[in-house]
Amino acid sequence: MMKTFLVARREFVTTVFTKGFLLGVLMTPVMIVMVVGAISLTQLLKGPTVTGNIAVIDQTPGGAVGPRVLERFSTERIEKERADRAAAVGKLAEEQAQKLGVAGPQTQAAGRFATAALDNELAKLKALSVTVLPPGTDVEEQKKLLGEVDVRGQRDVPGKGVGTIAVAIVPEGALSPGESGAYSRFELLTANRLDTEITSEIERRVGQAIVDARVAADPRFAAGGLGVQELRRLLDAPDAKVGAVTAGGGVKKSAGVFQFMLPMAFMLLLMMSVMTGGNYLLTTTIEEKSSRVMEVLLSAVSPLELMVGKILGQMCVGLVILVVYSGMGIASLFAFALQHQLDPMMLVYLVVFFLIAFTTIASMMAAVGSAVNELREAQSLMTPLMLLIMLPWLLWMPISRAPNSMFATILSFVPGVNPFVMMLRLSGSEPPPAWQPPVAILVGLVTVVVCAWGASKVFRVGVLMYGKPPNFRTLLRWIRMA
Amino acid sequence: MDGPARGAPTLVDPMTDAIQIAQLRKTFGDKTAVNDLSLAVPSGSLCGFIGPNGAGKTTTIRMIMSIIFPDSGSLSVLGRPSAVESKDRIGYLPEERGVYKKMRVGAFLTYMARLKGVDGAAAKRRSADWLEKVGLGREGKKRCDELSKGMQQKVQFIAAVIHEPDLLILDEVFSGLDPVNRRLMRSLIDEQHRAGRTIVFSTHAMYEAEQLCDRVFMIHQGVKVLDDTIGGIRARFDPRTIVAEPEEMRGVDPDSLRALPGVRSVEVGTSELTVRVDDRTPPYRVLAALAGAAAMRRVELKRVSLEDVFIGLVTDHDDAGALRQELRRTDEAEALQGAAS
């Protein structure tokens, strides 16, 4: 018992207190934050400003579209949009701050950040001018001009007489439906190599101008006093306040995307902690074998003590990862005032299923590690094991969509994958019937016993076996023989 | 039962034998690694376990250590049926030995001592003392893979003895050591022996065994071919060959030497004569006669080395049947000797 503990302690200490582990495990979240931060920062980067003219050939009767496009690109309009959106962002930040019970610098900083990003986006549009051309303008002539203009050359040379970088041709039928009942589409020609961001912004704004013109031209709306703004509000489909009624009659607020994310987070946590510990176990076992320290160890401990000690040590490594990451997860839940979404019982299940999944996979890892001489040779034996571990990935979608389907229920009792599947189902919005988790745990425990028993047999033979790496048939023979 | 008949040199006494093995057998697939092996290692003795590579030494030692288990036969280590129960009283230096490469030397030794039941403080102290003793006092903080191979060997030896075991089993302890470290290792083994520990060490280098052991087991193709004390072996393989180096070869008449009483044959070399003595005459008589027969620079009885014995035993008897015959013959001789004394 003491020896097993000593082996476990060494295994844990030599794994955790290494630069690789500390950097890998603790830096990963820091890296994630940094990457997210870096992506956000690119929003602040000033993109190259394209200076140029947008020509609108308005062929609609009365030329109702041209002026509207002009208005959509006007400085006043852009300033107003900026003010509206900045106000919306500010309101959102304030709401969040109230929820969290914090105020001040962070939210202000977030607000400033958002408006700065907004400024960048809109600044590009300010450099664009709009000219409305008469309906009879020669399109071919315009195309020729577009083909000659150098978009890059327009950059940063304001006042040099801007060239046309885009031509929007709004056809006659754009405002009134034809015989088929459909409105004609408009055509947008751009200079070669014009940024897609600008192209889509032009497309959006011209499109909006056309809709505005349609509504204004339609006598039915005019008669009812219905403007474009009112119409937009009318057509905006509302979001539902989704809630699930619990047994007591209370309503549990659903967090939408969150409901979907939580099971995935749980499964990821489980996988990551199991895999990390399991992989370390594989490498340390192979290392002990290849450095020939194995037999020296066996002079002091029995193969079983060694294997159990190693599995326990790496189990603690897995638990460290589980605690660090779930701790961060829980902390962020609190940060976003979503802690009510998390049932504390889930954490208990998480630990239970971790212990089951880890011991099952670690036993197999120990067996594989003991049977080979170097990591390279482990590949062929690892393939089925990796498949077993990857399986929950493939099953994640079908199970989280229908957590109580026959398929999901059966998988909850299939040895090897059942801890992952059960964790997915338990953390989902529709928990499985009460009898299922205990049965799944029982199946898991039986799996653990069988795997550990088989692994101990392979381990005992394997640790002193050098030379040709065995295949599965050999491993089975070792189990029978030992 | 042929155990007792063959087991004449094997003392069966659980109180005084550190290791007892009876009819041990182990096969790997269709290869028999150890075949019907019986032997006893008396407590306090320093035994050499010798045989060529692949003879079954390591397999036997692993069975003694309960690292692998015999197919049949019985085994007792320090009075217990299995080494598992007395692991902490045994020091084992395996042939396949290594260290944790990334671990610090001191930490590795402390860990090994703790695994063998030494408590924390004592383990630390002993590892420091031992490192000092073998001249690695300053290497304790280094990582194991920074040490030379010879240094690693010393560290491994310390790992085997740090818990002050009653029984020390050293598998191929001298392999990979330079002459200086060989000498150091010999003195360390000798010191352990003088401290009253039972030591078994295996080697294929016969002269090491000759210099150190008081008892030798020889094994060939899984079968024991010799089991005796060094003195016993010398007596048994009674030397009857005399080497004579005359002052001048030309002045010697081989035929007149052949006519001396007790001389069986004379071989003439470039500078030496090899004279074989017949079985009835004590060699000293022939020695004296030879010294008087011509002007001799040197006349001596050729001493039998373990290597000669070993080569003699294993090269002529490659099949098991011949080996058994040989064993029976030597056993009978032993029995006769025992009856005479």
Side-chain angles (χ1 to χ4, degrees):
Chain A
M1 207 50 227
M2 184 64 190
K3 292 183 179 187
T4 308
F5 166 75
L6 284 168
V7 172
R9 196 182 63 175
R10 185 197 164 271
E11 193 77 18
F12 179 79
V13 169
T14 52
T15 304
V16 170
F17 297 105
T18 55
K19 267 186 226 128
F21 184 87
L22 293 177
L23 282 179
V25 170
L26 302 179
M27 288 303 287
T28 306
V30 177
M31 294 272 281
I32 293 172
V33 171
M34 273 168 61
V35 167
V36 170
I39 291 174
S40 318
L41 277 178
T42 57
Q43 300 283 314
L44 290 184
L45 289 180
K46 276 203 167 125
T49 307
V50 175
T51 318
N53 181 42
I54 303 162
V56 180
I57 304 176
D58 188 359
Q59 297 168 342
T60 57
V65 177
R68 288 176 202 273
V69 176
L70 215 56
E71 192 268 336
R72 289 236 165 221
F73 278 95
S74 69
T75 312
E76 300 81 55
R77 172 77 189 205
I78 289 166
E79 288 293 342
K80 190 176 171 290
E81 272 179 31
R82 184 196 172 281
D84 287 352
R85 278 161 73 178
V89 166
K91 205 177 147 206
L92 199 74
E94 207 172 295
E95 273 173 19
Q96 278 303 322
Q98 272 175 355
K99 241 189 218 171
L100 295 168
V102 293
Q106 295 100 317
T107 45
Q108 281 171 19
R112 270 202 301 276
F113 181 83
T115 38
L118 210 61
D119 281 346
N120 270 333
E121 198 186 316
L122 294 173
K124 284 182 184 171
L125 299 179
K126 284 189 193 167
L128 297 173
S129 60
V130 177
T131 344
V132 182
L133 301 177
T137 312
D138 182 6
V139 176
E140 289 308 313
E141 180 79 11
Q142 290 298 319
K143 274 189 191 167
K144 219 173 118 195
L145 282 173
L146 272 180
E148 281 162 10
V149 79
D150 177 12
V151 176
R152 308 289 135 184
Q154 299 278 332
R155 189 179 300 168
D156 297 327
V157 273
K160 200 189 137 193
V162 289
T164 300
I165 55 162
V167 178
I169 304 148
V170 184
E172 208 185 335
L175 297 187
S176 47
E179 278 169 20
S180 62
Y183 294 97
S184 304
R185 299 167 66 189
F186 71 100
E187 198 175 351
L188 181 63
L189 301 168
T190 69
N192 201 12
R193 296 167 68 200
L194 184 66
D195 294 350
T196 40
E197 194 187 358
I198 299 202
T199 311
S200 55
E201 196 58 40
I202 296 170
E203 187 184 354
R204 197 170 71 85
R205 282 171 193 265
V206 174
Q208 281 172 346
I210 292 174
V211 172
D212 289 353
R214 274 182 203 158
V215 173
D218 198 309
R220 287 169 293 179
F221 293 118
L226 212 52
V228 169
Q229 295 299 338
E230 291 80 34
L231 205 56
R232 285 231 159 85
R233 243 171 264 144
L234 260 174
L235 292 175
D236 193 12
D239 293 332
K241 285 185 200 163
V242 181
V245 182
T246 56
V251 175
K252 193 169 127 192
K253 246 212 250 164
S254 165
V257 173
F258 190 77
Q259 278 297 350
F260 202 58
M261 296 299 287
L262 195 65
M264 186 168 132
F266 269 109
M267 200 184 69
L268 265 177
L269 260 176
L270 198 57
M271 272 184 148
M272 202 161 61
S273 47
V274 166
M275 275 311 290
T276 313
N279 268 333
Y280 274 117
L281 186 68
L282 181 76
T283 35
T284 59
T285 311
I286 294 175
E287 195 188 300
E288 274 160 5
K289 234 188 124 178
S290 65
S291 70
R292 314 273 155 150
V293 79
M294 192 59 100
E295 200 168 343
V296 176
L297 292 176
L298 292 184
S299 72
V301 298
S302 71
L304 190 66
E305 283 171 322
L306 182 64
M307 191 184 94
V308 172
K310 288 178 72 69
I311 291 178
L312 289 179
Q314 294 298 353
M315 185 185 277
C316 295
V317 174
L319 276 174
V320 164
I321 292 167
L322 199 65
V323 168
V324 167
Y325 283 83
S326 57
M328 284 190 307
I330 292 167
S332 54
L333 282 188
F334 273 94
F336 291 100
L338 287 168
Q339 66 272 30
H340 59 274
Q341 291 288 339
L342 185 70
D343 181 356
M345 195 55 201
M346 279 310 118
L347 298 176
V348 177
Y349 276 125
L350 183 65
V351 172
V352 169
F353 283 116
F354 164 77
L355 295 179
I356 291 173
F358 179 82
T359 318
T360 309
I361 283 165
S363 301
M364 291 191 259
M365 291 277 202
V368 170
S370 73
V372 300
N373 309 305
E374 41 186 311
L375 205 54
R376 199 155 36 86
E377 294 171 356
Q379 294 305 328
S380 64
L381 291 173
M382 284 294 291
T383 315
L385 217 80
M386 289 314 287
L387 257 147
L388 183 67
I389 294 161
M390 293 317 288
L391 212 54
W393 273 118
L394 304 174
L395 301 175
W396 169 56
M397 269 311 235
I399 289 173
S400 57
R401 281 213 183 119
N404 287 314
S405 65
M406 181 65 95
F407 179 66
T409 310
I410 289 172
L411 281 172
S412 309
F413 307 112
V414 172
V417 289
N418 75 328
F420 299 100
V421 173
M422 209 58 197
M423 201 63 235
L424 258 181
R425 295 180 61 203
L426 277 166
S427 53
S429 50
E430 303 163 58
W435 63 271
Q436 288 189 5
V439 176
I441 291 174
L442 198 70
V443 170
L445 290 177
V446 172
T447 317
V448 163
V449 171
V450 171
C451 281
W453 173 81
S456 72
K457 300 277 176 188
V458 172
F459 196 85
R460 207 176 80 183
V461 180
V463 282
L464 294 177
M465 213 49 105
Y466 293 99
K468 192 173 153 276
N471 52 23
F472 271 102
R473 199 175 300 161
T474 322
L475 290 190
L476 286 176
R477 212 184 61 225
W478 288 357
I479 291 177
R480 279 202 303 268
M481 151 178 130
Chain B
M1 219 169 102
D2 64 347
R6 173 137 23 110
T10 301
L11 297 164
V12 181
D13 182 353
M15 299 310 289
T16 58
D17 288 343
I19 302 173
Q20 281 176 34
I21 291 172
Q23 279 121 25
L24 211 59
R25 192 186 165 82
K26 178 78 187 176
T27 54
F28 295 108
D30 51 2
K31 189 183 171 286
T32 305
V34 173
N35 193 0
D36 210 6
L37 183 74
S38 301
L39 55 84
V41 174
S43 286
S45 66
L46 206 174
C47 292
F49 192 42
I50 52 187
N53 295 327
K57 301 186 296 282
T58 298
T59 306
T60 308
I61 286 173
R62 283 179 176 172
M63 284 192 281
I64 292 171
M65 287 305 297
S66 293
I67 288 171
I68 55 176
F69 296 92
D71 299 339
S72 64
S74 67
L75 204 144
S76 142
V77 182
L78 294 174
R80 307 278 177 98
S82 156
V84 175
E85 295 168 42
S86 42
K87 254 185 175 152
D88 292 348
R89 289 172 60 207
I90 307 174
Y92 173 47
L93 183 64
E95 185 185 8
E96 298 279 3
R97 49 185 173 253
V99 287
Y100 279 115
K101 288 182 182 146
K102 306 278 173 230
M103 227 172 157
R104 309 222 174 263
V105 176
F108 172 69
L109 288 175
T110 311
Y111 175 61
M112 287 311 297
R114 296 224 54 200
L115 273 189
K116 288 167 177 181
V118 181
D119 70 72
K124 235 176 211 162
R125 199 183 56 243
R126 280 192 211 171
S127 85
D129 290 351
W130 263 105
L131 285 172
E132 198 64 50
K133 187 169 173 176
V134 299
L136 294 176
R138 274 181 299 170
E139 268 73 21
K141 288 263 178 280
K142 278 190 183 168
R143 274 184 6 197
C144 285
D145 59 357
E146 291 176 66
L147 299 186
S148 72
K149 197 154 179 255
M151 288 174 175
Q152 284 189 15
Q153 293 266 45
K154 290 190 207 173
V155 171
Q156 284 149 357
F157 180 81
I158 298 172
V161 298
I162 197 162
H163 57 301
E164 297 174 353
D166 298 330
L167 171 64
L168 199 52
I169 299 177
L170 312 168
D171 200 355
E172 293 290 356
V173 65
F174 296 106
S175 70
L177 288 179
D178 62 19
V180 176
N181 283 316
R182 263 165 202 270
R183 186 172 294 175
L184 175 73
M185 191 59 82
R186 268 207 298 273
S187 73
L188 288 173
I189 292 174
D190 208 40
E191 185 189 301
Q192 295 289 318
H193 181 45
R194 273 184 275 116
R197 287 177 189 136
T198 312
I199 302 170
V200 177
F201 75 95
S202 86
T203 179
H204 61 269
M206 309 289 166
Y207 59 95
E208 311 276 12
E210 216 164 339
Q211 284 170 331
L212 272 167
C213 303
D214 42 33
R215 193 174 188 90
V216 165
F217 304 102
M218 247 184 220
I219 145 167
H220 177 57
Q221 293 182 346
V223 178
K224 187 171 78 175
V225 292
L226 185 69
D227 174 355
D228 209 338
T229 59
I230 290 285
I233 290 169
R234 296 233 162 96
R236 172 130 50 109
F237 294 87
D238 188 16
R240 295 194 164 269
T241 303
I242 295 166
V243 180
E245 189 186 341
E247 293 268 350
E248 222 176 331
M249 207 51 149
R250 275 172 299 170
V252 179
D253 173 17
D255 288 332
S256 71
L257 296 182
R258 282 192 188 102
L260 287 170
V263 173
R264 185 196 273 167
S265 68
V266 176
E267 265 173 62
V268 183
T270 48
S271 65
E272 280 182 354
L273 298 162
T274 307
V275 180
R276 293 192 201 281
V277 182
D278 70 26
D279 289 346
R280 284 153 308 170
T281 318
Y284 72 91
R285 291 226 178 110
V286 180
L287 272 174
L290 274 174
M296 294 289 182
R297 191 175 282 141
R298 177 169 68 97
V299 181
E300 64 178 28
L301 198 58
K302 199 174 165 192
R303 211 173 186 197
V304 67
S305 72
L306 272 180
E307 199 156 316
D308 298 333
V309 173
F310 182 74
I311 303 276
L313 282 170
V314 303
T315 48
D316 305 341
H317 316 286
D318 259 329
D319 63 275
L323 268 171
R324 276 173 205 284
Q325 239 174 0
E326 166 69 16
L327 278 167
R328 227 162 277 145
R329 206 183 59 75
T330 51
D331 283 351
E332 276 162 21
E334 202 102 15
L336 280 173
Q337 244 179 14
S341 60

